[in-house]
Amino acid sequence: MQLKLVPGNSAGTVTAYYLSSQGPTHDEIDFEFLGNLSGDPYILHTNVFGQGKGNREQQFYLWFDPTADFHTYSILWNPQRIIFSVDGTPIREFKNSESIGVPYPKNQPMRIYSSLWNADDWATRGGLIKTDWTQAPFTASYRNFNADACIWSSGASSCSSNTPTSTSTSTDWYSQELDSTSQERMKWVQKNYMIYNYCTDTKRFPQGLPPECTATTTS
């Protein structure tokens, strides 16, 4: 999807673009854009839920003004990994770590949702800065939506585990992974633009970091 975010003073607003299933043990893959005072950078907030549990946030600044023009925000979701990308540059990879007990979203169909909502109790500087309603209406713009996916119908997926078939002739995404160049680009983003990573937040997890944070997985 291409998005252009709320311009000017967007403090207190959140523009969300995400995948989610239904129910108390829902799966979810989130892009959330936390508004800010005019001139301050937006925060791109990402999260992954498996079986109703999230708490896997990573946050980034962007290397451009997301209100000045449209930019492409992509989610690759297959049985092995979830990759968040901005303008084709991967910023985050969440691998399937079910082998060490980490829930991974792969058994529930998800739909795509989008919303623009008032979250001034937490969105901007932890809720210190409230929404300035004199700036309303707040408008985010979307265009060029494109999906290539397995279709869920009558309780079954159009992709079996062995032979994915989808709306497209290409099913490369079903087994896609990051090559060495993409991994280097992702490291560059994380080194220069990541501002929060749940995997380094030892205060939040005094009993120990989530298992996927310390696992040494090879791709």
Side-chain angles (χ1 to χ4, degrees):
M1 178 75 86
Q2 289 194 309
L3 281 78
K4 184 160 67 172
L5 301 181
V6 177
N9 178 1
S10 58
T13 69
V14 173
T15 304
Y17 170 57
Y18 60 103
L19 290 162
S20 183
S21 62
Q22 300 293 310
T25 57
H26 76 292
D27 295 335
E28 190 170 313
I29 305 171
D30 293 334
F31 272 123
E32 292 187 290
F33 302 90
L34 312 187
N36 220 324
L37 290 173
S38 182
D40 287 349
Y42 260 80
I43 291 173
L44 170 50
H45 175 100
T46 65
N47 203 357
V48 175
F49 286 74
Q51 296 297 310
K53 292 186 172 61
N55 300 327
R56 293 185 163 90
E57 299 92 346
Q58 288 183 359
Q59 294 184 339
F60 305 83
Y61 286 144
L62 294 166
W63 48 96
F64 51 83
D65 178 357
T67 71
D69 204 351
F70 285 91
H71 291 268
T72 303
Y73 302 91
S74 310
I75 294 168
L76 172 79
W77 168 40
N78 66 29
Q80 296 82 38
R81 57 185 44 81
I82 296 161
I83 299 169
F84 297 79
S85 298
V86 177
D87 289 336
T89 296
I91 63 169
R92 175 178 184 179
E93 179 179 30
F94 184 83
K95 292 183 180 177
N96 183 334
S97 300
E98 288 176 309
S99 61
I100 54 172
V102 179
Y104 184 82
K106 70 173 179 38
N107 299 315
Q108 302 183 73
M110 292 200 269
R111 290 180 173 174
I112 292 170
Y113 298 87
S114 191
S115 59
L116 174 55
W117 52 289
N118 176 35
D120 69 3
D121 56 334
W122 66 273
T124 307
R125 297 190 192 167
L128 290 175
I129 300 173
K130 302 300 183 184
T131 303
D132 179 359
W133 291 104
T134 67
Q135 304 288 319
F138 300 100
T139 305
S141 303
Y142 296 73
R143 72 180 187 191
N144 292 346
F145 169 68
N146 184 34
D148 184 7
C150 307
I151 307 302
W152 186 262
S153 177
S154 304
S157 169
S158 64
C159 302
S160 73
S161 56
N162 299 320
T163 54
T165 55
S166 72
T167 52
S168 155
T169 53
S170 169
T171 50
D172 295 344
W173 60 269
Y174 199 80
S175 57
Q176 188 176 332
E177 55 187 73
L178 293 174
D179 60 21
S180 56
T181 303
S182 296
Q183 288 176 354
E184 288 302 316
R185 291 169 75 192
M186 184 171 72
K187 285 178 189 168
W188 173 81
V189 171
Q190 293 183 348
K191 180 177 179 228
N192 292 286
Y193 295 99
M194 181 186 283
I195 58 170
Y196 177 80
N197 181 5
Y198 76 104
C199 273
T200 59
D201 192 344
T202 51
K203 286 183 185 169
R204 183 178 174 189
F205 301 104
Q207 306 304 314
L209 293 169
E212 71 271 17
C213 296
T214 50
T216 52
T217 54
T218 56
S219 58

